[in-house]
Amino acid sequence: MEKIIYYNSLKKEMEGSQISKARKFVKLKLIENKGFDNYLVKHIEGYNKTDYSVNSNLEECNCQYYVRNNKPCSHILAVALFKIQEDTNGTSNSFFE
């Protein structure tokens, strides 16, 4: 099993995989379509307490990682996976598991 991304305070750096965390958001059904390309990505219980807003058209997120790095975060990746899953009518795909 892949570890989801997390901050290692001893090494003072992020560890784990962005895509594994994104898959977890989708698998746990933590993404809500708010309309007009806006999505709410709810927190993973026991991991974080903050929900984040993603604009899929602009590929922007209000999380700390995106704001600091201006690079796609796990929330943006999760919304992209969620949209693919929606487009395939929610049919089971092992990529999301």
Side-chain angles (χ1 to χ4, degrees):
M1 173 181 244
E2 295 177 275
K3 282 187 175 179
I4 63 173
I5 195 162
Y6 67 97
Y7 183 75
N8 182 325
S9 59
L10 296 175
K11 294 182 179 180
K12 297 187 188 272
E13 63 185 29
M14 299 300 285
E15 291 191 352
S17 164
Q18 292 275 19
I19 195 68
S20 63
K21 186 175 176 187
R23 286 182 184 136
K24 190 161 188 110
F25 284 120
V26 174
K27 184 177 181 180
L28 295 174
K29 301 180 188 307
L30 298 174
I31 302 167
E32 185 179 329
N33 186 340
K34 302 301 265 180
F36 303 105
D37 296 319
N38 293 303
Y39 293 81
L40 177 68
V41 181
K42 299 175 187 171
H43 66 279
I44 296 171
E45 198 66 42
Y47 176 77
N48 195 343
K49 295 180 181 175
T50 307
D51 298 339
Y52 295 104
S53 298
V54 172
N55 181 297
S56 64
N57 186 44
L58 300 175
E59 294 185 353
E60 292 181 339
C61 181
N62 66 338
C63 76
Q64 203 171 25
Y65 179 85
Y66 178 81
V67 171
R68 283 188 181 167
N69 301 297
N70 198 29
K71 294 180 181 177
C73 60
S74 59
H75 311 104
I76 291 172
L77 294 173
V79 168
L81 293 175
F82 177 78
K83 288 175 68 173
I84 291 168
Q85 192 175 41
E86 277 188 329
D87 290 346
T88 58
N89 296 321
T91 55
S92 181
N93 185 328
S94 62
F95 184 75
F96 301 106
E97 306 280 320

Coordinates of all heavy atoms in Angstrom, one line a residue:
M1 N 0.8 -1.2 0.0 CA 0.0 0.0 0.0 C 0.9 1.2 0.0 O 1.8 1.3 0.7 CB -0.9 0.0 1.2 CG -1.7 1.3 1.4 SD -2.7 1.2 2.8 CE -4.3 1.3 2.0
E2 N 0.5 2.2 -0.9 CA 1.3 3.5 -0.9 C 1.0 4.3 0.3 O -0.1 4.4 0.8 CB 0.9 4.2 -2.2 CG 1.2 3.6 -3.5 CD 0.7 4.4 -4.6 OE1 -0.5 4.2 -5.0 OE2 1.5 5.2 -5.2
K3 N 2.0 5.0 0.8 CA 1.8 6.0 1.8 C 1.2 7.3 1.2 O 1.7 7.7 0.2 CB 3.1 6.3 2.6 CG 3.5 5.3 3.5 CD 4.7 5.8 4.3 CE 5.1 4.8 5.4 NZ 6.3 5.3 6.1
I4 N 0.3 7.9 1.9 CA -0.2 9.2 1.4 C 0.9 10.2 1.8 O 1.6 10.1 2.7 CB -1.6 9.6 1.8 CG1 -1.7 9.7 3.4 CG2 -2.6 8.6 1.3 CD1 -3.0 10.2 3.8
I5 N 0.9 11.3 1.1 CA 1.9 12.4 1.3 C 1.7 13.0 2.7 O 0.6 13.2 3.1 CB 1.8 13.4 0.2 CG1 3.1 14.3 0.2 CG2 0.6 14.2 0.2 CD1 3.3 15.1 -1.1
Y6 N 2.8 13.2 3.3 CA 2.7 13.8 4.7 C 4.1 14.6 4.9 O 5.0 14.4 4.2 CB 2.5 12.8 5.7 CG 3.7 11.8 5.9 CD1 4.7 12.0 6.9 CD2 3.9 10.7 5.0 CE1 5.8 11.2 7.0 CE2 4.9 9.9 5.1 CZ 5.9 10.1 6.1 OH 7.0 9.3 6.2
Y7 N 4.1 15.4 5.9 CA 5.3 16.2 6.3 C 6.1 15.4 7.3 O 5.6 15.1 8.4 CB 4.9 17.6 6.8 CG 6.1 18.4 7.1 CD1 6.8 19.0 6.1 CD2 6.5 18.7 8.4 CE1 7.9 19.8 6.4 CE2 7.6 19.5 8.7 CZ 8.3 20.0 7.7 OH 9.4 20.8 7.9
N8 N 7.3 15.1 7.0 CA 8.2 14.4 7.9 C 9.0 15.5 8.7 O 9.8 16.2 8.1 CB 9.2 13.5 7.2 CG 10.1 12.8 8.1 OD1 10.5 13.3 9.1 ND2 10.4 11.5 7.7
S9 N 8.6 15.7 9.9 CA 9.2 16.8 10.7 C 10.7 16.6 11.0 O 11.4 17.6 11.2 CB 8.4 17.1 12.0 OG 8.4 15.9 12.8
L10 N 11.1 15.4 11.0 CA 12.5 15.1 11.3 C 13.4 15.5 10.1 O 14.4 16.1 10.2 CB 12.8 13.6 11.6 CG 12.1 13.1 12.9 CD1 12.3 11.6 13.1 CD2 12.7 13.9 14.1
K11 N 12.9 15.1 8.9 CA 13.6 15.5 7.6 C 13.3 16.9 7.1 O 13.9 17.4 6.2 CB 13.3 14.5 6.5 CG 13.8 13.1 6.8 CD 13.5 12.2 5.7 CE 14.0 10.8 5.9 NZ 13.7 9.9 4.8
K12 N 12.2 17.4 7.7 CA 11.7 18.7 7.2 C 11.4 18.8 5.7 O 11.8 19.7 5.0 CB 12.6 19.9 7.6 CG 12.9 20.0 9.1 CD 13.7 21.2 9.4 CE 14.0 21.2 10.8 NZ 13.5 21.7 11.9
E13 N 10.6 17.7 5.3 CA 10.2 17.6 3.9 C 9.0 16.8 3.8 O 8.7 16.0 4.7 CB 11.4 17.1 3.0 CG 11.8 15.7 3.4 CD 13.0 15.2 2.6 OE1 13.9 16.0 2.2 OE2 13.1 14.0 2.4
M14 N 8.4 16.9 2.6 CA 7.2 16.1 2.3 C 7.6 14.7 1.9 O 8.7 14.5 1.2 CB 6.4 16.7 1.2 CG 5.8 18.1 1.6 SD 4.8 18.1 3.0 CE 3.3 17.4 2.3
E15 N 6.9 13.7 2.3 CA 7.1 12.3 1.9 C 5.8 11.7 1.4 O 4.8 12.1 1.8 CB 7.7 11.5 3.0 CG 9.1 11.9 3.3 CD 9.8 10.9 4.3 OE1 9.2 10.0 4.8 OE2 11.0 11.1 4.5
G16 N 5.9 10.6 0.6 CA 4.8 9.9 0.1 C 4.4 10.3 -1.3 O 5.2 11.0 -1.9
S17 N 3.3 10.0 -1.7 CA 2.9 10.2 -3.1 C 1.7 11.1 -3.3 O 0.7 10.8 -2.6 CB 2.7 8.8 -3.8 OG 2.0 8.9 -5.0
Q18 N 1.8 12.1 -4.1 CA 0.6 12.9 -4.4 C -0.5 12.1 -5.0 O -1.7 12.3 -4.6 CB 1.0 14.1 -5.4 CG 2.0 15.1 -4.8 CD 1.3 16.2 -4.0 OE1 0.1 16.1 -3.6 NE2 2.0 17.3 -3.9
I19 N -0.2 11.2 -5.9 CA -1.3 10.5 -6.6 C -1.9 9.5 -5.6 O -3.1 9.3 -5.7 CB -0.7 9.8 -7.9 CG1 -1.9 9.3 -8.8 CG2 0.2 8.6 -7.6 CD1 -2.7 10.4 -9.4
S20 N -1.2 8.9 -4.7 CA -1.8 8.0 -3.8 C -2.8 8.8 -2.9 O -3.9 8.3 -2.5 CB -0.8 7.2 -2.9 OG 0.0 8.1 -2.1
K21 N -2.4 10.0 -2.5 CA -3.3 10.8 -1.7 C -4.6 11.2 -2.5 O -5.7 11.1 -2.0 CB -2.6 12.0 -1.1 CG -3.5 12.8 -0.2 CD -2.7 14.0 0.4 CE -3.5 14.9 1.3 NZ -2.8 16.1 1.7
A22 N -4.4 11.5 -3.7 CA -5.5 11.9 -4.6 C -6.4 10.7 -4.8 O -7.7 10.9 -4.7 CB -4.9 12.3 -6.0
R23 N -5.9 9.5 -5.0 CA -6.7 8.3 -5.1 C -7.6 8.1 -3.8 O -8.7 7.7 -3.9 CB -5.9 7.1 -5.4 CG -5.4 7.0 -6.8 CD -4.6 5.7 -6.9 NE -4.0 5.7 -8.2 CZ -2.7 5.3 -8.4 NH1 -1.9 4.9 -7.4 NH2 -2.2 5.2 -9.6
K24 N -7.0 8.4 -2.7 CA -7.7 8.2 -1.4 C -8.9 9.2 -1.3 O -9.9 8.8 -0.9 CB -6.7 8.4 -0.3 CG -7.3 8.0 1.1 CD -6.2 7.7 2.1 CE -6.8 7.1 3.3 NZ -6.4 5.7 3.5
F25 N -8.7 10.4 -1.7 CA -9.8 11.4 -1.7 C -11.0 10.8 -2.6 O -12.1 10.9 -2.2 CB -9.4 12.7 -2.3 CG -8.5 13.6 -1.4 CD1 -7.3 14.0 -1.7 CD2 -9.0 14.0 -0.1 CE1 -6.5 14.8 -0.9 CE2 -8.3 14.8 0.7 CZ -7.0 15.2 0.3
V26 N -10.6 10.3 -3.7 CA -11.7 9.8 -4.6 C -12.3 8.5 -4.0 O -13.6 8.4 -4.0 CB -11.1 9.5 -6.0 CG1 -12.2 8.8 -6.9 CG2 -10.6 10.7 -6.7
K27 N -11.5 7.6 -3.6 CA -12.0 6.4 -3.0 C -12.9 6.6 -1.8 O -14.0 5.9 -1.6 CB -10.8 5.5 -2.6 CG -11.3 4.1 -2.1 CD -10.1 3.2 -1.8 CE -10.5 1.9 -1.3 NZ -9.4 1.0 -1.0
L28 N -12.6 7.6 -1.0 CA -13.4 7.9 0.2 C -14.5 8.8 -0.1 O -15.3 9.2 0.9 CB -12.5 8.5 1.3 CG -11.4 7.6 1.9 CD1 -10.5 8.3 2.8 CD2 -12.0 6.4 2.6
K29 N -14.7 9.2 -1.4 CA -15.8 10.1 -1.8 C -15.8 11.4 -1.0 O -16.8 11.9 -0.5 CB -17.1 9.4 -1.6 CG -17.2 8.1 -2.4 CD -18.6 7.4 -2.3 CE -18.7 6.0 -2.8 NZ -18.4 5.8 -4.2
L30 N -14.6 12.0 -1.0 CA -14.4 13.3 -0.3 C -14.5 14.5 -1.2 O -14.1 15.6 -0.8 CB -13.1 13.2 0.5 CG -13.0 12.2 1.5 CD1 -11.6 12.1 2.1 CD2 -14.1 12.4 2.6
I31 N -14.9 14.3 -2.5 CA -14.9 15.4 -3.4 C -16.4 15.8 -3.7 O -17.2 14.9 -4.1 CB -14.2 15.1 -4.7 CG1 -12.7 14.7 -4.3 CG2 -14.2 16.2 -5.7 CD1 -12.0 14.0 -5.4
E32 N -16.7 17.1 -3.7 CA -18.0 17.5 -3.9 C -18.0 18.6 -5.0 O -17.2 19.6 -4.9 CB -18.6 18.2 -2.6 CG -20.0 18.6 -2.7 CD -20.5 19.2 -1.4 OE1 -20.0 18.7 -0.3 OE2 -21.3 20.1 -1.4
N33 N -18.8 18.3 -6.1 CA -18.9 19.3 -7.2 C -19.8 20.4 -6.7 O -21.0 20.3 -6.5 CB -19.5 18.6 -8.4 CG -19.4 19.5 -9.6 OD1 -19.4 20.7 -9.5 ND2 -19.5 18.8 -10.8
K34 N -19.2 21.7 -6.7 CA -20.0 22.8 -6.2 C -20.5 23.6 -7.4 O -21.2 24.6 -7.3 CB -19.1 23.8 -5.4 CG -18.5 23.1 -4.1 CD -19.6 22.6 -3.2 CE -19.9 23.6 -2.2 NZ -20.9 23.1 -1.2
G35 N -20.2 23.2 -8.6 CA -20.7 23.8 -9.9 C -19.7 24.8 -10.4 O -18.8 25.3 -9.7
F36 N -19.8 25.1 -11.7 CA -19.0 26.1 -12.4 C -17.5 25.8 -12.2 O -16.7 26.7 -11.9 CB -19.3 27.6 -11.9 CG -20.7 28.0 -12.1 CD1 -21.6 28.0 -11.0 CD2 -21.2 28.2 -13.4 CE1 -22.9 28.4 -11.2 CE2 -22.5 28.6 -13.6 CZ -23.3 28.7 -12.5
D37 N -17.1 24.6 -12.3 CA -15.7 24.1 -12.2 C -15.1 24.2 -10.8 O -13.9 24.2 -10.7 CB -14.8 24.8 -13.2 CG -15.2 24.5 -14.7 OD1 -15.5 23.3 -15.0 OD2 -15.1 25.4 -15.5
N38 N -15.9 24.4 -9.8 CA -15.5 24.5 -8.4 C -15.8 23.3 -7.7 O -16.9 22.8 -7.8 CB -16.1 25.8 -7.8 CG -15.6 27.0 -8.4 OD1 -14.4 27.3 -8.4 ND2 -16.5 27.9 -8.9
Y39 N -14.8 22.8 -6.9 CA -15.0 21.6 -6.2 C -14.5 21.8 -4.7 O -13.6 22.6 -4.5 CB -14.1 20.4 -6.8 CG -14.6 20.0 -8.1 CD1 -14.3 20.7 -9.3 CD2 -15.5 18.9 -8.3 CE1 -14.8 20.4 -10.5 CE2 -15.9 18.5 -9.5 CZ -15.6 19.3 -10.6 OH -16.1 18.9 -11.8
L40 N -15.1 21.1 -3.8 CA -14.7 21.1 -2.4 C -14.0 19.7 -2.2 O -14.7 18.7 -2.4 CB -15.9 21.3 -1.5 CG -15.5 21.2 0.0 CD1 -14.7 22.4 0.4 CD2 -16.8 21.2 0.8
V41 N -12.8 19.7 -1.7 CA -12.1 18.5 -1.4 C -12.1 18.4 0.2 O -11.4 19.2 0.8 CB -10.7 18.4 -2.0 CG1 -10.0 17.1 -1.6 CG2 -10.8 18.6 -3.5
K42 N -12.9 17.5 0.7 CA -13.0 17.4 2.2 C -11.7 16.7 2.7 O -11.1 15.9 2.0 CB -14.2 16.7 2.5 CG -15.5 17.4 2.1 CD -16.7 16.6 2.3 CE -17.9 17.2 1.7 NZ -19.1 16.4 1.8
H43 N -11.4 16.9 4.0 CA -10.3 16.4 4.6 C -10.4 14.9 4.9 O -11.5 14.3 5.0 CB -10.0 17.1 5.9 CG -11.0 16.9 7.0 ND1 -12.2 17.6 7.0 CD2 -11.0 16.0 8.0 CE1 -12.9 17.2 8.1 NE2 -12.2 16.2 8.7
I44 N -9.2 14.2 4.9 CA -9.2 12.8 5.3 C -9.2 12.7 6.8 O -8.3 13.3 7.4 CB -7.9 12.1 4.7 CG1 -8.0 12.2 3.1 CG2 -7.8 10.7 5.2 CD1 -6.7 11.8 2.5
E45 N -10.2 12.1 7.3 CA -10.3 11.9 8.8 C -9.0 11.4 9.4 O -8.5 10.4 8.9 CB -11.5 11.0 9.1 CG -12.0 11.2 10.5 CD -12.6 12.6 10.8 OE1 -13.3 13.1 10.0 OE2 -12.3 13.1 11.9
G46 N -8.5 12.0 10.4 CA -7.3 11.6 11.1 C -6.0 12.0 10.5 O -4.9 11.8 11.0
Y47 N -6.1 12.7 9.3 CA -5.0 13.1 8.6 C -4.8 14.7 8.6 O -3.8 15.2 8.8 CB -5.0 12.6 7.1 CG -3.8 13.2 6.3 CD1 -2.6 12.6 6.4 CD2 -4.0 14.2 5.4 CE1 -1.5 13.1 5.7 CE2 -3.0 14.7 4.7 CZ -1.7 14.2 4.8 OH -0.7 14.7 4.1
N48 N -6.0 15.3 8.4 CA -6.0 16.8 8.3 C -7.4 17.2 8.8 O -8.3 16.4 8.8 CB -5.7 17.2 6.9 CG -5.4 18.7 6.8 OD1 -5.6 19.5 7.7 ND2 -4.8 19.0 5.6
K49 N -7.5 18.5 9.1 CA -8.8 19.0 9.5 C -9.4 20.1 8.6 O -10.4 20.7 8.8 CB -8.7 19.6 10.9 CG -8.4 18.5 12.0 CD -8.3 19.1 13.3 CE -8.0 18.0 14.3 NZ -7.7 18.5 15.7
T50 N -8.7 20.3 7.5 CA -9.0 21.4 6.6 C -9.6 20.9 5.3 O -9.0 20.0 4.7 CB -7.8 22.3 6.3 OG1 -7.2 22.7 7.5 CG2 -8.1 23.5 5.5
D51 N -10.7 21.5 4.8 CA -11.2 21.2 3.5 C -10.7 22.3 2.5 O -10.4 23.4 2.9 CB -12.7 21.3 3.5 CG -13.4 20.3 4.4 OD1 -12.7 19.3 4.8 OD2 -14.5 20.5 4.8
Y52 N -10.5 21.9 1.3 CA -9.9 22.8 0.3 C -10.8 23.0 -0.9 O -11.5 22.1 -1.3 CB -8.5 22.3 -0.1 CG -7.5 22.3 1.0 CD1 -7.2 21.1 1.6 CD2 -7.0 23.5 1.5 CE1 -6.3 21.1 2.7 CE2 -6.1 23.5 2.6 CZ -5.8 22.3 3.2 OH -4.9 22.3 4.2
S53 N -10.7 24.2 -1.5 CA -11.4 24.5 -2.7 C -10.5 24.4 -3.9 O -9.4 24.9 -3.9 CB -12.0 26.0 -2.6 OG -12.9 26.1 -1.5
V54 N -11.0 23.8 -5.0 CA -10.3 23.6 -6.2 C -11.1 24.2 -7.4 O -12.3 23.9 -7.5 CB -10.0 22.1 -6.5 CG1 -9.3 21.9 -7.8 CG2 -9.0 21.6 -5.4
N55 N -10.5 25.0 -8.2 CA -11.1 25.4 -9.5 C -10.4 24.5 -10.6 O -9.2 24.7 -10.8 CB -10.9 26.9 -9.7 CG -11.5 27.3 -11.0 OD1 -11.2 26.8 -12.1 ND2 -12.5 28.2 -10.9
S56 N -11.2 23.6 -11.1 CA -10.6 22.7 -12.1 C -10.3 23.3 -13.4 O -9.4 22.9 -14.1 CB -11.5 21.5 -12.3 OG -12.7 21.9 -12.9
N57 N -11.0 24.4 -13.8 CA -10.7 25.1 -15.0 C -9.4 25.8 -15.0 O -8.6 25.7 -15.9 CB -11.8 26.0 -15.4 CG -11.7 26.7 -16.7 OD1 -11.4 26.0 -17.7 ND2 -11.9 28.0 -16.8
L58 N -9.1 26.5 -13.9 CA -7.9 27.2 -13.7 C -6.8 26.3 -13.1 O -5.6 26.8 -13.0 CB -8.1 28.4 -12.8 CG -9.1 29.4 -13.3 CD1 -9.3 30.5 -12.3 CD2 -8.6 30.1 -14.6
E59 N -7.1 25.1 -12.6 CA -6.2 24.2 -11.9 C -5.6 25.0 -10.7 O -4.3 25.0 -10.6 CB -5.2 23.6 -12.8 CG -5.8 22.7 -13.9 CD -4.8 22.0 -14.7 OE1 -3.6 22.3 -14.6 OE2 -5.2 21.2 -15.5
E60 N -6.4 25.5 -9.9 CA -6.0 26.2 -8.7 C -6.6 25.6 -7.4 O -7.7 25.1 -7.5 CB -6.4 27.7 -8.7 CG -5.7 28.5 -9.8 CD -6.1 29.9 -9.8 OE1 -7.2 30.3 -9.3 OE2 -5.3 30.8 -10.4
C61 N -5.8 25.7 -6.3 CA -6.3 25.2 -5.0 C -5.9 26.2 -4.0 O -4.9 26.9 -4.1 CB -5.7 23.8 -4.8 SG -6.2 23.1 -3.2
N62 N -6.6 26.2 -2.9 CA -6.2 27.2 -1.8 C -5.4 26.5 -0.7 O -5.2 27.1 0.4 CB -7.5 27.8 -1.2 CG -8.4 26.9 -0.5 OD1 -8.4 25.7 -0.8 ND2 -9.2 27.4 0.4
C63 N -4.8 25.3 -1.0 CA -4.0 24.6 0.0 C -2.6 25.3 0.1 O -2.2 25.9 -0.9 CB -3.9 23.1 -0.2 SG -2.8 22.7 -1.6
Q64 N -1.9 25.0 1.2 CA -0.6 25.6 1.4 C 0.4 25.1 0.3 O 1.2 25.9 -0.1 CB -0.1 25.1 2.8 CG 0.9 26.0 3.4 CD 1.1 25.6 4.8 OE1 0.9 24.5 5.3 NE2 1.6 26.6 5.6
Y65 N 0.4 23.9 -0.1 CA 1.3 23.3 -1.1 C 1.2 24.1 -2.4 O 2.2 24.5 -3.0 CB 1.1 21.8 -1.3 CG 2.0 21.3 -2.3 CD1 3.3 20.9 -2.0 CD2 1.7 21.2 -3.7 CE1 4.2 20.3 -2.9 CE2 2.5 20.7 -4.6 CZ 3.8 20.3 -4.2 OH 4.7 19.8 -5.2
Y66 N -0.1 24.2 -2.9 CA -0.3 24.9 -4.1 C 0.1 26.4 -4.1 O 0.8 26.9 -4.9 CB -1.7 24.8 -4.6 CG -1.9 25.5 -5.9 CD1 -1.5 25.0 -7.1 CD2 -2.5 26.8 -6.0 CE1 -1.7 25.6 -8.3 CE2 -2.6 27.5 -7.1 CZ -2.2 26.9 -8.3 OH -2.3 27.6 -9.5
V67 N -0.3 27.1 -3.0 CA 0.0 28.5 -2.8 C 1.5 28.7 -2.8 O 2.0 29.7 -3.4 CB -0.7 29.0 -1.5 CG1 -0.3 30.4 -1.2 CG2 -2.2 29.0 -1.7
R68 N 2.2 27.9 -2.1 CA 3.7 28.1 -2.0 C 4.4 27.7 -3.3 O 5.4 28.4 -3.6 CB 4.2 27.2 -0.9 CG 4.0 27.8 0.5 CD 4.8 26.9 1.5 NE 4.5 27.5 2.8 CZ 4.8 26.8 3.9 NH1 5.4 25.6 3.9 NH2 4.6 27.4 5.1
N69 N 4.0 26.6 -3.9 CA 4.8 26.1 -5.1 C 4.2 26.4 -6.4 O 4.9 26.1 -7.4 CB 4.9 24.6 -4.9 CG 5.6 24.2 -3.6 OD1 6.8 24.6 -3.4 ND2 4.9 23.6 -2.7
N70 N 2.9 26.7 -6.5 CA 2.2 27.0 -7.7 C 2.3 25.7 -8.7 O 2.6 25.9 -9.9 CB 2.7 28.2 -8.4 CG 1.7 28.7 -9.5 OD1 0.5 28.5 -9.4 ND2 2.2 29.3 -10.5
K71 N 2.3 24.6 -8.1 CA 2.3 23.3 -8.8 C 1.1 22.5 -8.4 O 0.6 22.6 -7.3 CB 3.6 22.5 -8.4 CG 4.8 23.1 -8.9 CD 6.0 22.3 -8.4 CE 7.3 22.9 -8.9 NZ 8.5 22.1 -8.4
P72 N 0.6 21.6 -9.3 CA -0.6 20.8 -8.9 C -0.3 20.0 -7.6 O 0.7 19.4 -7.4 CB -0.7 19.8 -10.1 CG 0.0 20.5 -11.2 CD 1.1 21.3 -10.6
C73 N -1.3 20.1 -6.8 CA -1.3 19.4 -5.5 C -2.2 18.1 -5.5 O -2.8 17.9 -6.6 CB -1.8 20.3 -4.4 SG -3.5 20.9 -4.7
S74 N -2.3 17.4 -4.5 CA -3.1 16.2 -4.4 C -4.6 16.5 -4.6 O -5.3 15.7 -5.1 CB -2.8 15.4 -3.1 OG -3.2 16.3 -2.0
H75 N -5.0 17.7 -4.2 CA -6.4 18.1 -4.3 C -6.8 18.3 -5.8 O -7.8 17.9 -6.2 CB -6.7 19.4 -3.5 CG -6.2 19.2 -2.1 ND1 -5.0 19.9 -1.7 CD2 -6.6 18.5 -1.0 CE1 -4.8 19.6 -0.4 NE2 -5.7 18.8 0.0
I76 N -5.9 19.0 -6.5 CA -6.1 19.2 -7.9 C -6.1 17.8 -8.7 O -7.0 17.6 -9.5 CB -5.1 20.1 -8.5 CG1 -5.3 21.6 -8.0 CG2 -5.1 20.1 -10.1 CD1 -4.2 22.6 -8.3
L77 N -5.1 17.0 -8.3 CA -5.1 15.6 -8.9 C -6.4 14.8 -8.6 O -6.9 14.1 -9.5 CB -3.9 14.9 -8.5 CG -2.5 15.4 -8.9 CD1 -1.4 14.7 -8.2 CD2 -2.4 15.4 -10.4
A78 N -6.8 15.0 -7.4 CA -8.0 14.2 -6.9 C -9.3 14.7 -7.8 O -10.1 13.9 -8.2 CB -8.3 14.4 -5.4
V79 N -9.4 16.0 -8.0 CA -10.5 16.5 -8.8 C -10.4 16.0 -10.2 O -11.4 15.6 -10.8 CB -10.6 18.0 -8.7 CG1 -11.5 18.6 -9.7 CG2 -11.0 18.5 -7.3
A80 N -9.2 16.0 -10.8 CA -9.0 15.4 -12.1 C -9.4 14.0 -12.2 O -10.2 13.6 -13.1 CB -7.6 15.6 -12.6
L81 N -9.0 13.2 -11.2 CA -9.5 11.8 -11.2 C -11.0 11.7 -11.0 O -11.6 10.8 -11.6 CB -8.8 11.0 -10.0 CG -7.3 10.9 -10.1 CD1 -6.7 10.2 -8.9 CD2 -6.9 10.0 -11.3
F82 N -11.5 12.5 -10.1 CA -13.0 12.5 -9.9 C -13.7 12.8 -11.2 O -14.7 12.2 -11.5 CB -13.3 13.5 -8.8 CG -14.7 13.7 -8.5 CD1 -15.4 12.8 -7.7 CD2 -15.5 14.8 -9.0 CE1 -16.8 12.9 -7.4 CE2 -16.8 15.0 -8.7 CZ -17.5 14.0 -7.9
K83 N -13.3 13.8 -11.9 CA -13.9 14.2 -13.2 C -13.8 13.0 -14.2 O -14.8 12.8 -14.9 CB -13.3 15.4 -13.8 CG -13.7 16.7 -13.0 CD -13.0 17.9 -13.4 CE -13.5 18.3 -14.8 NZ -12.9 19.6 -15.3
I84 N -12.7 12.3 -14.3 CA -12.6 11.2 -15.2 C -13.6 10.1 -14.7 O -14.3 9.5 -15.6 CB -11.2 10.6 -15.1 CG1 -10.2 11.6 -15.8 CG2 -11.1 9.3 -15.8 CD1 -8.7 11.3 -15.6
Q85 N -13.7 9.9 -13.4 CA -14.6 8.9 -12.9 C -16.1 9.3 -13.3 O -16.9 8.5 -13.7 CB -14.4 8.7 -11.4 CG -15.2 7.5 -10.9 CD -14.8 7.3 -9.4 OE1 -14.8 8.2 -8.7 NE2 -14.6 6.0 -9.1
E86 N -16.4 10.6 -13.1 CA -17.7 11.1 -13.5 C -18.0 10.9 -14.9 O -19.1 10.5 -15.3 CB -17.9 12.6 -13.1 CG -18.2 12.9 -11.7 CD -18.5 14.4 -11.5 OE1 -18.0 15.2 -12.3 OE2 -19.3 14.7 -10.7
D87 N -17.0 11.1 -15.8 CA -17.2 11.0 -17.2 C -17.4 9.6 -17.7 O -18.0 9.3 -18.7 CB -16.0 11.6 -18.0 CG -15.9 13.1 -17.9 OD1 -16.9 13.7 -17.5 OD2 -14.9 13.7 -18.2
T88 N -16.9 8.6 -16.9 CA -17.1 7.2 -17.2 C -18.3 6.7 -16.4 O -18.4 5.4 -16.3 CB -15.8 6.4 -16.8 OG1 -15.5 6.5 -15.4 CG2 -14.6 6.8 -17.7
N89 N -19.1 7.6 -16.0 CA -20.4 7.2 -15.3 C -20.1 6.4 -14.0 O -21.0 5.5 -13.7 CB -21.3 6.5 -16.2 CG -21.8 7.4 -17.3 OD1 -22.0 8.6 -17.1 ND2 -21.9 6.8 -18.5
G90 N -19.0 6.6 -13.4 CA -18.8 5.9 -12.1 C -18.5 4.5 -12.2 O -18.5 3.7 -11.2
T91 N -18.2 4.0 -13.4 CA -17.9 2.6 -13.6 C -16.6 2.2 -12.9 O -15.7 3.1 -12.8 CB -17.8 2.2 -15.1 OG1 -16.8 3.0 -15.7 CG2 -19.1 2.3 -15.8
S92 N -16.5 1.1 -12.3 CA -15.4 0.7 -11.5 C -14.1 0.6 -12.4 O -14.1 0.2 -13.5 CB -15.6 -0.7 -10.9 OG -14.6 -1.1 -10.1
N93 N -13.1 1.2 -11.8 CA -11.8 1.2 -12.5 C -10.7 1.0 -11.4 O -10.7 1.8 -10.4 CB -11.6 2.5 -13.2 CG -10.4 2.6 -14.0 OD1 -9.3 2.0 -13.7 ND2 -10.4 3.3 -15.1
S94 N -9.9 0.0 -11.6 CA -8.9 -0.2 -10.5 C -7.9 0.9 -10.3 O -7.2 1.0 -9.3 CB -8.1 -1.5 -10.9 OG -7.4 -1.3 -12.1
F95 N -7.8 1.8 -11.2 CA -6.9 3.0 -11.1 C -7.3 3.8 -9.9 O -6.5 4.5 -9.2 CB -7.0 3.9 -12.3 CG -6.0 5.0 -12.3 CD1 -4.7 4.9 -12.5 CD2 -6.5 6.3 -12.1 CE1 -3.8 5.9 -12.4 CE2 -5.6 7.4 -12.0 CZ -4.3 7.2 -12.2
F96 N -8.6 3.8 -9.5 CA -9.1 4.7 -8.4 C -9.1 3.9 -7.1 O -9.4 4.5 -6.1 CB -10.5 5.1 -8.7 CG -10.6 5.9 -10.0 CD1 -11.2 5.4 -11.1 CD2 -10.1 7.2 -10.0 CE1 -11.2 6.2 -12.3 CE2 -10.2 8.0 -11.2 CZ -10.7 7.4 -12.3
E97 N -8.7 2.7 -7.1 CA -8.8 1.9 -5.9 C -7.5 2.0 -5.1 O -6.5 2.2 -5.5 CB -9.0 0.4 -6.3 CG -10.2 0.2 -7.1 CD -11.5 0.1 -6.4 OE1 -11.5 -0.5 -5.3 OE2 -12.5 0.6 -6.9

